[in-house]
Amino acid sequence: MANFAKPENALKRADELINVGQKQDALQALHDLITSKRYRAWQKPLEKIMFKYLDLCVELKRGRYAKDGLIQYRIVCQQVNVSSLEEVIKHFLHLATEKAEQARSQADALEEALDVDDLEADRKPEDLQLSIVSGEKGKDRSDRELVTPWFKFLWETYRTVLEILRNNSKLEALYAMTAHKAFQFCKQYKRTTEFRRLCEIIRNHLANLNKYRDQRDRPDLSAPESLQLYLDTRFDQLKVATELGLWQEAFRSVEDIYGLMCMVKKTPKSSLLMVYYSKLTEIFWISSSHLYHAYAWFKLFSLQKNFNKNLSQKDLQLIASSVVLAALSIPPFDRAQSASHMELENEKERNLRMANLIGFNLEPKFEGRDMLSRSALLSELVSKGVLSCASQEVKDLFHVLEHEFHPLDLGSKIQPLLEKISKSGGKLSSAPSLPEVQLSQYVPSLEKLATLRLLQQVSKIYQTIRIESLSQLVPFFEFSVVEKISVDAVKNSFVAMKVDHMKGVVIFGNLGIESDGLKDHLAVFAESLSKVRAMLFPVPSKASKLGGIVPNLADTVEKEHKRLLARKSIIEKRKEDQERQQLEMEREEEQKRLKLQKLTEEAEQKRLAAELEERKRQRIRREIEEREHAEAQALLEDTEKRMKKGKKKTTLVDGDKMTKQEVIDRALHEQVRERQELEKKLQKLAKTMDYLERAKRLNAAPLIEAAYQRRLVEEREFYEREQQREVELSKERHESDLKEKNRLSRMLEHKEIFQAEVISRRQAEFDRIRAEKEERISQIIRARKQERDIKRKQIYYLTCEEERIAKLQEEEEARKREETERRKKAEAEHKAKLDAIEEKKRQREREMEEKMQREKDALFKGTDASASRPAEPAAIAAAPPAVAAAAAPAAAAPGGSGKYVPKWKRQAAEVSGPAAPTPTSPAAESDSWSSRRQPPAADRWGAGPRGSDRPTGSDTWGNEERRPTFGSSKPRPPPR
């Protein structure tokens, strides 16, 4: 960090650096000077340095440097020259605003220059590609490159200035002006986010101002000028918020204004109050708070009528009409009837809060929850004469909606009035602070109110009405809209009705909703059952009752006795119920008393806590005063010591009679005076040094001139001597060189011979080396050529080999695929053949079974016929062998029944029966032969569980289709 004896030197140094293009170094040099502790006393050159410093900060966009410099400069000139700080800040704001405007104008000019018919003619190809890729327009890009950085810097400038001036009582006007410029910046460029931040910054400044009340330069809000500046700032904030459409921020601004008024306990000017209430009407209308909107209009009417002396009759009539229509637009039912206790409390608190905002401490007459209601407002409008000031169509509309009863003509009477009202409105010539009044905005709400009134009046004269008739009575809406309005009205218990779309009618009456009917459904059911029982079993007449008493006296007495006992029990029960109710009432009263006692105790505790807090605040205030008194006493003693040390003759007042601020001001004044005297001494000493230096230089001037002349003579003589000596030395060197040349001229021939030998020897050496080098290079070239040939051949061989291997692999894969397909095909054919063979086998087996069955049937038929025909043995003998073998046992059976008879039974029967035939007889021969004969091949090979199902021997061994022979040329299928 460079140290400068004077601030002017730093300024000169900065100018030199700027001239050579080193602006950052110039800014750093001035920053070091401003933040140095050596220059804490204000001087006039410091102001010029700050101007130059801020110029560099703005040009280089160094907002942080600018903030540091302004903070240091505020410390320097806060107590000495505040106007200098004001000028510097104004210069800073002007520079930042000017740069932002220049950037904006450059961007607009660039956009106009780019606004041509043929874009390709004026733009480069790379620009077109960039615009297509980035997907943004030229204006957006130019704004981002040119305008956005300067807008950011300007926004940072506003924040910096507000932060520096936030607690400076002497620059309140500059603070308000900066806030106004910041609001206009947000409004002009639609910067909603920055506007919210700006409002929060100003709100925090005011909160900190109230929190830290012991600051030295804190603004005094009780002063009228300060209060007016702060109010103007909040009203500017409110106007800009409404113009930007930030209604939530506008409502917070209204709360800020109200809090500021409560803080200082002073009523603002009527002009500001008119702006306040006009903005409130807009805010409440946007938020659909019709009740608060109407109250705000009522307050606005009162202010205009009382304080605006130039108000014309036409404008007064228009404002009064707005008030009446706003009051009529309020829904005629309370939306919080079925709300919970917590919701009611919140609604009550909200009403109190809104009443404070709307009342603004002008007419604090309302108390409790009923202070804001539609009925109270309408009655007040009538009593205050607002209705009499309204236009005639508004009066007629008020009387039709609120006082007259026309259920069938209400829509036709109101519609022309609403048409006239929708055409009324305009600017107020005698009330410029109010916005343009348009009565047409109340027409939808009035149409809804008219529909509700019509439903209410129709419900009083009709119990049922058709939907078509009701739709004709309401000319404003369709029936679907009327149905939605009626739902809201029924929900809030304004009208009792039910729409039956199946029958096409609307039913009016005290119709309880389902939840109310379900509460006592058992009691209703019991009453219905009792009525049914009474209808089924009617009570006998008095004559029959009296006739039945005499014969049945004992029963009557018994019944009467039971009735009395029941009555006694009922009386006892009623007494118990009454006592229980009394106990419940006592318990409730006790709970109320305890609750009231608890509330009283809580109030007492709050009061004690408030008193304790007040005593604590008083003690803290007293300690602060004592500490300030002690500090003032110490400062006073320190000042007296310093003044005694400096041998001052000024007399001081007793320390007990001086405050801390007075002592601080006195000490600062003394310090400034001492610093000024010291500066005067330094200036006087510098002037004396200047006089002495000038006198010394005046006396030394002739002596210096004489010494200079003597030195010139001496130098001339020395030059002439040196020149003569150089000439003589040159002549001597020339003569010696001539003698040397004559002496060496006889050796010239030998030199040339030696030179020729040396040159020839070196030429031969050079030729030899060059030939060797060329031979070596040619060998290298041949070797490299051979290597390239070999490498190419290797590459070609490898390529061919890879192609061959790839081709072989492809052929192998193709062969494998063909083999696989062929095998699959052979397997499929073999399987098909096997299936055909199996099918033929099953067919043949079925044929054999059928054949065997036919033979058995034929055999059984022949056995049955043998008993009647004697020639049966011959027939059996003539039968085939298999049939004869099967039929012989059957024929030999005793009885010839055709059943199977074992052999031992047949032999026993033959022994005990008739004589056996001789061996020579045909029958005996046949039996003996059949008993001794071997079974055929089919029986022999077919023994077993499935012997009867097997084919004959010839079919088994000679079947070519079932099993191929060993010498067959057909290939066997591969195993699976």
Side-chain angles (χ1 to χ4, degrees), residues 438-686:
Q438 293 294 341
L439 301 183
S440 59
Q441 63 180 352
Y442 301 109
V443 172
S445 300
L446 293 174
E447 290 177 349
K448 184 177 179 181
L449 175 65
T451 305
L452 290 173
R453 290 297 186 196
L454 190 142
L455 291 175
Q456 186 183 31
Q457 294 178 10
V458 168
S459 66
K460 293 181 179 179
I461 62 173
Y462 286 103
Q463 187 175 2
T464 303
I465 186 172
R466 296 187 64 82
I467 293 177
E468 294 82 1
S469 303
L470 185 61
S471 300
Q472 293 176 0
L473 295 178
V474 184
F476 317 115
F477 307 112
E478 297 180 356
F479 185 73
S480 59
V481 182
V482 176
E483 192 172 3
K484 292 180 181 179
I485 296 173
S486 63
V487 168
D488 198 10
V490 171
K491 180 181 178 182
N492 292 278
S493 302
F494 181 73
V495 65
M497 60 180 292
K498 180 180 179 182
V499 180
D500 193 345
H501 287 282
M502 295 182 64
K503 298 179 180 179
V505 297
V506 178
I507 304 171
F508 297 99
N510 189 10
L511 304 173
I513 60 176
E514 294 181 359
S515 60
D516 296 334
L518 290 175
K519 290 191 296 185
D520 52 353
H521 61 284
L522 293 177
V524 173
F525 182 66
E527 291 177 0
S528 301
L529 288 179
S530 64
K531 291 179 181 179
V532 171
R533 183 179 179 282
M535 293 173 64
L536 294 176
F537 305 101
V539 180
S541 60
K542 291 183 179 180
S544 61
K545 186 176 180 180
L546 290 173
I549 289 176
V550 177
N552 300 322
L553 184 60
D555 296 338
T556 304
V557 172
E558 184 69 21
K559 291 180 180 178
E560 187 68 19
H561 179 65
K562 290 181 179 179
R563 187 181 65 80
L564 291 176
L565 291 177
R567 183 171 179 274
K568 183 178 179 181
S569 63
I570 291 171
I571 292 172
E572 293 293 335
K573 187 176 182 180
R574 288 180 179 176
K575 286 183 179 180
E576 292 177 359
D577 292 340
Q578 188 176 4
E579 291 177 358
R580 191 181 301 107
Q581 291 178 359
Q582 188 174 0
L583 290 175
E584 288 290 336
M585 293 176 61
E586 291 178 357
R587 189 180 298 107
E588 289 179 359
E589 290 179 358
E590 182 67 19
Q591 290 178 357
K592 290 181 181 179
R593 187 183 63 79
L594 292 176
K595 186 176 181 180
L596 182 61
Q597 183 179 358
K598 185 178 180 181
L599 292 175
T600 306
E601 291 177 356
E602 290 179 355
E604 183 68 19
Q605 290 178 359
K606 290 181 179 178
R607 186 184 64 79
L608 293 176
E611 290 180 357
L612 181 62
E613 188 68 22
E614 184 65 26
R615 287 197 298 270
K616 185 177 180 181
R617 284 198 298 269
Q618 291 178 0
R619 179 177 58 79
I620 293 172
R621 192 182 301 111
R622 188 167 56 254
E623 290 177 357
I624 291 172
E625 291 176 356
E626 292 176 356
R627 186 169 63 252
E628 289 181 353
H629 181 73
E631 291 177 356
Q633 186 70 25
L635 285 173
L636 182 61
E637 293 176 357
D638 189 15
T639 306
E640 290 178 352
K641 290 179 182 179
R642 188 168 58 255
M643 292 175 66
K644 289 179 181 178
K645 184 177 180 181
K647 299 180 180 179
K648 302 295 180 180
K649 301 296 184 180
T650 307
T651 58
L652 295 176
V653 190
D654 187 9
D656 296 335
K657 297 179 181 179
M658 296 181 68
T659 62
K660 177 183 177 183
Q661 187 65 33
E662 293 175 354
V663 175
I664 291 173
D665 294 340
R666 185 66 175 273
L668 290 174
H669 179 71
E670 292 296 331
Q671 290 179 3
V672 171
R673 190 170 57 79
E674 290 177 2
R675 193 179 296 112
Q676 290 176 353
E677 290 179 357
L678 182 60
E679 290 175 358
K680 289 179 180 179
K681 288 181 181 180
L682 290 175
Q683 291 176 0
K684 186 177 181 181
L685 180 60

Side-chain angles (χ1 to χ4, degrees), residues 354-412:
M354 294 298 112
N356 291 331
L357 289 178
I358 297 172
F360 213 84
N361 292 331
L362 291 176
E363 297 180 3
K365 297 180 180 180
F366 304 107
E367 293 181 2
R369 187 176 181 275
D370 296 332
M371 59 185 173
L372 297 178
S373 64
R374 185 178 187 273
S375 58
L377 179 59
L378 291 176
S379 61
E380 196 165 357
L381 293 181
V382 175
S383 62
K384 293 292 181 64
V386 180
L387 184 62
S388 61
C389 297
S391 60
Q392 186 60 38
E393 54 268 16
V394 174
K395 293 179 183 177
D396 296 341
L397 181 65
F398 178 81
H399 287 294
V400 169
L401 289 176
E402 298 298 327
H403 299 294
E404 296 182 2
F405 185 81
H406 300 286
L408 302 179
D409 302 334
L410 185 63
S412 59

Side-chain angles (χ1 to χ4, degrees), residues 95-247:
L95 285 177
T97 307
E98 185 178 2
K99 288 290 185 181
E101 292 296 333
Q102 288 179 2
R104 189 67 183 175
S105 60
Q106 289 177 5
D108 294 340
L110 182 61
E111 180 64 21
E112 291 177 0
L114 289 176
D115 190 11
V116 294
D117 295 335
D118 189 3
L119 292 177
E120 296 181 358
D122 291 342
R123 300 179 68 180
K124 298 178 182 180
E126 54 270 18
D127 295 336
L128 291 175
Q129 292 177 0
L130 179 62
S131 63
I132 292 172
V133 172
S134 60
E136 61 181 356
K137 299 180 180 178
K139 180 174 177 58
D140 298 337
R141 190 181 299 112
S142 61
D143 287 346
R144 189 178 69 250
E145 294 175 356
L146 298 176
V147 182
T148 304
W150 283 112
F151 276 8
K152 288 183 179 179
F153 182 77
L154 181 58
W155 169 247
E156 188 177 357
T157 301
Y158 287 138
R159 292 192 60 175
T160 299
V161 174
L162 291 175
E163 185 67 24
I164 290 172
L165 301 177
R166 61 187 175 87
N167 55 358
N168 197 322
S169 59
K170 299 177 182 179
L171 296 178
E172 292 175 344
L174 184 58
Y175 180 85
M177 184 192 73
T178 306
H180 177 71
K181 286 186 176 181
F183 288 143
Q184 295 303 317
F185 166 78
C186 297
K187 173 185 172 183
Q188 182 179 0
Y189 300 108
K190 302 294 187 295
R191 308 303 302 177
T192 56
T193 305
E194 285 76 10
F195 179 76
R196 292 191 185 94
R197 292 174 182 169
L198 180 62
C199 296
E200 193 64 30
I201 288 170
I202 295 176
R203 198 172 291 117
N204 291 334
H205 287 175
L206 182 61
N208 292 331
L209 200 65
N210 295 325
K211 186 177 181 180
Y212 305 104
R213 296 178 179 272
D214 56 345
Q215 292 180 351
R216 182 174 58 186
D217 298 322
R218 174 183 174 273
D220 188 10
L221 294 179
S222 60
E225 296 81 5
S226 301
L227 177 61
Q228 189 64 34
L229 288 173
Y230 275 86
L231 279 177
D232 292 341
T233 302
R234 266 62 183 182
F235 275 103
D236 286 341
Q237 175 181 332
L238 177 59
K239 291 178 182 178
V240 175
T242 54
E243 290 173 1
L244 290 177
L246 302 175
W247 301 108

Side-chain angles (χ1 to χ4, degrees), residues 258-441:
Y258 178 73
L260 192 61
M261 291 300 98
C262 292
M263 189 185 305
V264 298
K265 297 180 181 180
K266 288 185 180 180
T267 303
K269 297 179 181 178
S270 59
S271 60
L272 294 180
L273 283 180
M274 291 176 189
V275 176
Y276 174 83
Y277 283 115
S278 65
K279 299 302 179 184
L280 267 182
T281 56
E282 296 180 17
I283 293 170
F284 288 140
W285 182 256
I286 292 295
S287 62
S288 300
S289 301
H290 299 286
L291 179 63
Y292 307 135
H293 172 76
Y295 268 99
W297 262 115
F298 178 57
K299 290 295 180 182
L300 191 57
F301 172 80
S302 302
L303 285 173
Q304 289 287 342
K305 187 176 180 180
N306 295 331
F307 296 102
N308 193 353
K309 305 300 180 183
N310 301 323
L311 187 64
S312 62
Q313 187 64 29
K314 182 179 179 181
D315 293 344
L316 181 63
Q317 185 180 7
L318 189 58
I319 296 173
S321 301
S322 299
V323 175
V324 176
L325 293 179
L328 289 176
S329 300
I330 303 171
F333 43 77
D334 189 5
R335 295 181 181 273
Q337 288 183 356
S338 60
S340 62
H341 177 71
M342 184 63 68
E343 293 176 353
L344 291 175
E345 290 297 327
N346 293 336
E347 183 69 19
K348 182 178 179 181
E349 183 180 355
R350 184 168 179 263
N351 284 337
L352 288 173
R353 183 182 173 190
M354 294 298 112
N356 291 331
L357 289 178
I358 297 172
F360 213 84
N361 292 331
L362 291 176
E363 297 180 3
K365 297 180 180 180
F366 304 107
E367 293 181 2
R369 187 176 181 275
D370 296 332
M371 59 185 173
L372 297 178
S373 64
R374 185 178 187 273
S375 58
L377 179 59
L378 291 176
S379 61
E380 196 165 357
L381 293 181
V382 175
S383 62
K384 293 292 181 64
V386 180
L387 184 62
S388 61
C389 297
S391 60
Q392 186 60 38
E393 54 268 16
V394 174
K395 293 179 183 177
D396 296 341
L397 181 65
F398 178 81
H399 287 294
V400 169
L401 289 176
E402 298 298 327
H403 299 294
E404 296 182 2
F405 185 81
H406 300 286
L408 302 179
D409 302 334
L410 185 63
S412 59
K413 286 187 176 183
I414 287 178
Q415 192 170 12
L417 296 177
L418 293 179
E419 291 178 356
K420 292 181 181 179
I421 289 172
S422 62
K423 299 177 182 178
S424 303
K427 296 286 288 185
L428 300 178
S429 58
S430 59
S433 60
L434 295 183
E436 184 177 357
V437 178
Q438 293 294 341
L439 301 183
S440 59
Q441 63 180 352

